[in-house]
Amino acid sequence: MEEKWYRFDDDRVVPICSSEVFEEFYGGDFGPPQQTRYQPLGTSPRDRARPASKRFTNAYMLVYIREALRDSVLCSGDAPVPQHLLQRIQSEKDEVERKQREKLELASTLVVKVLGDEHFRQHQDFDLCHFDQRQPAENPLYCERMPRSMTLATFKEHYAEYLGCSVDDFRLWALVSRVNKTLRCDAPLVAESHSMTLIQLKESKSGKWPELRLYCEMRSDDVPDDFDGKVPPELFLIHLRFYDPSRQQITGVGHTYVHANQTVRDIMPRLREVAELSPDTPITVYEEVKPSLIDLMDPNATFRKAEISTGDIICFQVSTEADQGKYRLPTVPDYFEEVQLRVYVRFVPQPARDDVDDFANGDSATEDGT
């Protein structure tokens, strides 16, 4: 007996072949297009129009009722709505409300990220730190969503509570992206800035970033007398890093202030002190200009001549001229040259079986390694 199949499509009933029944009218993924000798792969209109992931041909079911039984079948009576349908409807309503709340929150709040000296101390890459997924999980930055209308003064009080100190024990700096794409301190947010809102600060200082980025400077013995005021134009805040070739590790050792007319040699005692080196230890000093440019600094040059300014990073190490062959990466430039070749890989949990398709299609909110 010959099999006959018909497709019931609303008011249209048309005959179809058995291959269409078993290959086209069930859920799941579309198989790969088949290449023929007359039609190259992927060039047919059907291939180009085919959805990229799933079939939806079984998304609903048509029920055909014999006219003679229509009244009895469609009689609703007093039958209650099934409980699972009520739960599903309520869960869908809750999800819509949740998304609306998230949308309102995103529109009225702003992410604020703050970098401190401890983050800089542990940072093993260029710049002061990373503000993206490359920042190690074991060295997380302060990150919190705040109201856009919050003033800087109010945020300082909130951040002081987070640090467990007084608002007079620290000050915040705006971070900027320089022309060479490095991240550096720009200027302290002094008393005149305290009345500005967070969104005003972001638009004026961090406009190209999705969040407001700040640096926290803790009060110390070598800060200017007017800690709450502007930094004098001849005084520069610089960050210090010490490189140990025996461990192939670079460590942030804090920051200091230098005068434009001071020489590099003038601050060498300070460098030895923060690195816990003996006073007579010979050291070599470099400026971290950008990833591909680590400049050796002349000890006799002034900071003005060396074109040092606020926010610059100075790296130093014990001089290794006599031990060049002893270490794999003997100098700061050698270390940063290898840093450029690093590849960051971020592992994410394997999705549950029901989520595999969504994960494969990029619906899961994951980040690839950079």
Side-chain angles (χ1 to χ4, degrees):
M1 180 177 177
E2 182 183 0
E3 288 186 345
K4 291 185 179 181
W5 295 90
Y6 296 88
R7 174 164 54 192
F8 289 76
D9 187 3
D10 294 334
D11 59 346
R12 296 176 63 249
V13 179
V14 294
I16 57 174
C17 61
S18 59
S19 63
E20 290 182 88
V21 175
F22 297 108
E23 295 179 10
E24 298 290 338
F25 294 103
Y26 289 90
D29 296 331
F30 279 101
Q34 300 296 318
Q35 181 171 341
T36 67
R37 60 182 295 186
Y38 302 107
Q39 185 69 56
L41 184 63
T43 59
S44 70
R46 181 177 180 179
D47 290 343
R48 291 195 296 270
R50 173 175 287 178
S53 55
K54 296 179 178 296
R55 292 190 180 100
F56 297 96
T57 48
N58 64 342
Y60 63 92
M61 180 182 296
L62 291 176
V63 179
Y64 291 83
I65 302 171
R66 183 172 299 184
E67 290 187 3
L69 301 176
R70 182 178 58 184
D71 294 339
S72 60
V73 171
L74 297 180
C75 179
S76 60
D78 298 325
V81 179
Q83 187 63 30
H84 71 278
L85 289 180
L86 293 175
Q87 293 175 350
R88 179 173 179 178
I89 292 172
Q90 185 60 46
S91 65
E92 290 177 352
K93 288 182 178 179
D94 293 342
E95 180 66 13
V96 170
E97 291 177 358
R98 184 188 66 81
K99 290 183 177 180
Q100 289 177 342
R101 288 195 301 269
E102 286 184 354
K103 187 176 181 180
L104 290 174
E105 181 183 0
L106 290 174
S108 60
T109 58
L110 171 69
V111 173
V112 181
K113 293 185 178 181
V114 184
L115 153 74
D117 284 333
E118 180 60 24
H119 304 114
F120 176 61
R121 185 184 71 80
Q122 300 182 46
H123 188 55
Q124 295 293 303
D125 209 328
F126 298 107
D127 277 332
L128 301 170
C129 73
H130 293 305
F131 279 86
D132 53 22
Q133 68 269 19
R134 293 174 295 172
Q135 184 69 8
E138 62 273 14
N139 187 28
L141 301 179
Y142 170 89
C143 178
E144 195 164 346
R145 187 172 288 277
M146 294 293 179
R148 292 183 171 218
S149 58
M150 177 183 283
T151 63
L152 179 62
T154 304
F155 174 75
K156 280 196 66 176
E157 294 175 358
H158 179 85
Y159 189 64
E161 184 177 351
Y162 167 80
L163 293 177
C165 65
S166 167
V167 292
D168 298 325
D169 294 335
F170 68 94
R171 66 176 172 183
L172 299 173
W173 289 66
L175 294 173
V176 296
S177 177
R178 293 184 175 176
V179 176
N180 59 6
K181 298 183 180 180
T182 56
L183 181 73
R184 297 291 188 265
C185 288
D186 178 47
L189 301 173
V190 294
E192 295 88 28
S193 304
H194 289 181
S195 60
M196 296 180 66
T197 63
L198 297 182
I199 188 60
Q200 288 174 335
L201 286 171
K202 179 193 175 301
E203 291 175 349
S204 61
K205 301 294 185 180
S206 307
K208 62 171 61 178
W209 297 319
E211 68 277 320
L212 175 61
R213 300 180 180 183
L214 302 172
Y215 165 68
C216 175
E217 177 193 11
M218 302 301 297
R219 187 186 290 271
S220 60
D221 296 335
D222 64 342
V223 299
D225 296 333
D226 186 11
F227 188 62
D228 296 325
K230 296 181 179 179
V231 177
E234 298 295 303
L235 207 59
F236 309 138
L237 169 75
I238 58 173
H239 296 274
L240 308 174
R241 309 181 85 174
F242 174 66
Y243 175 61
D244 182 356
S246 65
R247 301 168 60 195
Q248 298 178 30
Q249 186 176 60
I250 198 162
T251 305
V253 288
H255 63 272
T256 191
Y257 286 87
V258 298
H259 194 277
N261 293 327
Q262 280 185 290
T263 65
V264 176
R265 192 181 302 278
D266 291 337
I267 68 163
M268 285 187 174
R270 169 67 173 167
L271 300 183
R272 296 187 183 96
E273 177 186 351
V274 296
E276 299 180 350
L277 302 174
S278 60
D280 58 347
T281 303
I283 59 175
T284 306
V285 183
Y286 301 86
E287 180 192 358
E288 183 184 322
V289 182
K290 60 181 180 179
S292 59
L293 182 58
I294 309 298
D295 265 353
L296 178 65
M297 300 189 71
D298 180 1
N300 299 313
T302 65
F303 288 102
R304 187 194 307 277
K305 183 178 180 180
E307 299 182 349
I308 295 296
S309 61
T310 285
D312 285 341
I313 301 175
I314 287 181
C315 306
F316 64 99
Q317 66 173 94
V318 175
S319 300
T320 58
E321 285 84 356
D323 301 318
Q324 285 289 330
K326 184 177 178 180
Y327 306 110
R328 190 174 72 87
L329 303 173
T331 66
V332 173
D334 294 326
Y335 172 81
F336 279 116
E337 184 177 355
E338 180 169 272
V339 166
Q340 290 189 82
L341 302 177
R342 288 179 181 173
V343 176
Y344 291 87
V345 179
R346 183 178 183 183
F347 293 92
V348 297
Q350 183 176 3
R353 182 177 298 274
D354 292 341
D355 299 331
V356 169
D357 291 334
D358 291 339
F359 182 84
N361 291 329
D363 295 336
S364 180
T366 61
E367 294 166 342
D368 296 329
T370 302

